Amino acid sequence: MSDKKQPVSRRQFLNYTLTGVGGFMAAAMLSPMVRMAVDPVLQPKEGGEFHATGTEVKNITEEPIRVDFSFEQQDAWYVSEVSKTAWVYKNESGDVIAFSPICKHLGCIVKWEGGQGNENQYYCPCHGGLYEKNGANVPGTPPLAPLDQYKVKIQDGMLYLGEVIPNKVV
Amino acid sequence: MKWSGQDVSLYSQSKEFVDTGIVPLIPYSLSGSEKELTQLANQSELLTLFMKEVEEEYRGRIFLAPSYTYLKETSIDKEIERINEWTERMEAEGFKHLLFFTFDQQWKKVERKLNPSLIWLPLPQVDDIHNEEAKKVLRSQIDQVTELITAYWQE
């Protein structure tokens, strides 16, 4: 090689190679650390999942219907099949609303038009709690809060229900 | 509510709303043929399941006591005495309806000597409580039991 034609000097060449190799080595060490640090962000959010109910959205009317669904849930010690129930209806604008049937008083299961003479209301058989169709608790009955809602997702015409959230209809 | 730390603390806060106690009566024995023992164990498993379901439906008004377990060989008169003692204690705490559930027929014969209400249920003949058919049968029986309890409340 002639002295004039030296686009890359020996010093430069060594600098580049060392920086390159060193960079790879550093990346190999750092990337698992970074992955671990951001891991909680990447985890799918527990409770953010939706569960299939097997109910077609077109079968939901303005009259609340009972929808039962089950899914596997992992508790601290074991995986178990959990069964849940929802009261589902369509409101005036056609949105699907799903209520948790758990009475806000002491946790019994409420029924749509249960008991006698409770038209257009949810009735709790335990202490006579009443809720309107939109989940609002009827004053003068034991419950002090409206029924909770399920998060609703509609996919391919089927109803999926997610976590329980406070009532947003009332 | 049931006999667990969390529920009992809720119970203490809302005693005035809990007026119904349910207790499963579960026989236990290890002497007998395979068939007899299977049947006994099934009784225990199914009754526990029934009670759990009933409790979940009406947990705000019902208290599910721990299972009353007895040896099949013990004389029934001794057990009657103990059961009446359980009943007395619960009545003293304000329980108005005490319902003892069982699949064991021998209680039916001595029902009159018992202070609580006895509810004898025929044992559903299912091989595996986890298959879909069995689940339907059990579900309908459980629904009938919950209906029955509301009937007591309407008295």
Side-chain angles (χ1 to χ4, degrees):
Chain A
M1 264 189 212
S2 72
D3 284 345
K4 284 168 196 163
K5 267 192 154 187
Q6 234 173 16
V8 181
S9 71
R10 183 191 300 264
R11 181 183 294 256
Q12 270 178 321
F13 172 77
L14 281 174
N15 258 341
Y16 291 154
T17 3
L18 277 179
T19 324
V21 173
F24 271 116
M25 279 165 69
M29 270 165 61
L30 284 175
S31 56
M33 294 188 200
V34 173
R35 175 64 177 77
M36 232 169 96
V38 300
D39 188 63
V41 184
L42 298 176
Q43 287 295 323
K45 216 172 132 203
E46 195 80 21
E49 294 167 46
F50 284 88
H51 307 288
T53 61
T55 303
E56 289 182 55
V57 174
K58 67 173 165 40
N59 293 338
I60 299 170
T61 59
E62 292 200 354
E63 180 86 5
I65 52 165
R66 185 186 165 129
V67 170
D68 292 302
F69 62 107
S70 57
F71 54 91
E72 287 198 337
Q73 190 180 56
Q74 180 155 20
D75 279 329
W77 300 105
Y78 50 86
V79 178
S80 54
E81 174 138 331
V82 193
S83 301
K84 298 263 180 186
T85 302
W87 288 106
V88 184
Y89 72 97
K90 274 186 189 147
N91 67 9
E92 295 81 16
S93 41
D95 295 326
V96 175
I97 310 281
F99 285 125
S100 155
I102 295 172
C103 182
K104 297 297 280 181
H105 178 219
L106 286 169
C108 296
I109 306 294
V110 303
K111 288 196 178 77
W112 174 249
E113 300 194 336
Q116 271 164 5
N118 302 313
E119 273 169 40
N120 264 311
Q121 283 178 324
Y122 300 94
Y123 169 73
C124 175
C126 285
H127 305 99
L130 287 170
Y131 302 86
E132 302 294 353
K133 185 175 163 184
N134 66 3
N137 50 307
V138 174
T141 63
L144 296 171
L147 288 174
D148 286 335
Q149 268 180 279
Y150 283 105
K151 276 191 179 171
V152 172
K153 191 174 84 174
I154 293 163
Q155 200 178 316
D156 304 327
M158 300 297 279
L159 174 72
Y160 290 75
L161 296 178
E163 62 182 316
V164 173
I165 50 169
N167 193 311
K168 285 183 180 155
V169 185
V170 178
Chain B
M1 287 159 225
K2 54 185 181 296
W3 188 233
S4 75
Q6 211 178 3
D7 282 12
V8 169
S9 101
L10 180 65
Y11 166 73
S12 316
Q13 292 163 24
S14 38
K15 255 184 163 178
E16 70 268 32
F17 294 107
V18 186
D19 69 347
T20 306
I22 58 175
V23 186
L25 294 174
I26 294 176
Y28 167 59
S29 172
L30 282 179
S31 46
S33 67
E34 184 189 339
K35 203 179 152 222
E36 283 164 351
L37 295 189
T38 319
Q39 186 136 358
L40 272 183
N42 276 344
Q43 280 193 30
S44 160
E45 209 177 338
L46 281 173
L47 197 56
T48 312
L49 175 79
F50 268 48
M51 294 293 101
K52 181 183 148 272
E53 292 292 320
V54 171
E55 189 268 334
E56 271 169 21
E57 185 100 15
Y58 296 141
R59 54 179 338 223
R61 186 164 174 183
I62 279 183
F63 189 87
L64 169 61
S67 303
Y68 184 96
T69 316
Y70 51 96
L71 280 174
K72 212 172 181 319
E73 290 81 13
T74 312
S75 100
I76 198 159
D77 289 319
K78 266 194 206 160
E79 303 293 354
I80 292 173
E81 208 174 295
R82 258 188 88 204
I83 287 179
N84 288 341
E85 207 177 315
W86 275 46
T87 317
E88 237 169 74
R89 294 297 340 149
M90 290 176 89
E91 273 169 351
E93 291 305 319
F95 284 91
K96 290 194 189 70
H97 309 281
L98 287 164
L99 310 171
F100 282 59
F101 287 83
T102 190
F103 287 126
D104 183 355
Q105 309 125 337
Q106 64 165 335
W107 294 108
K108 197 66 202 157
K109 287 176 244 155
V110 295
E111 193 180 3
R112 249 174 268 141
K113 294 187 199 162
L114 289 171
N115 293 341
S117 310
L118 178 80
I119 294 166
W120 173 77
L121 305 164
L123 183 64
Q125 292 301 326
V126 291
D127 301 328
D128 178 12
I129 61 170
H130 301 291
N131 82 37
E132 283 304 313
E133 270 314 298
K135 268 188 191 165
K136 266 185 211 153
V137 175
L138 296 179
R139 191 70 252 167
S140 96
Q141 273 228 18
I142 291 167
D143 289 346
Q144 289 177 48
V145 172
T146 48
E147 279 296 320
L148 180 69
I149 292 176
T150 36
Y152 276 89
W153 290 342
Q154 269 140 29
E155 269 172 21

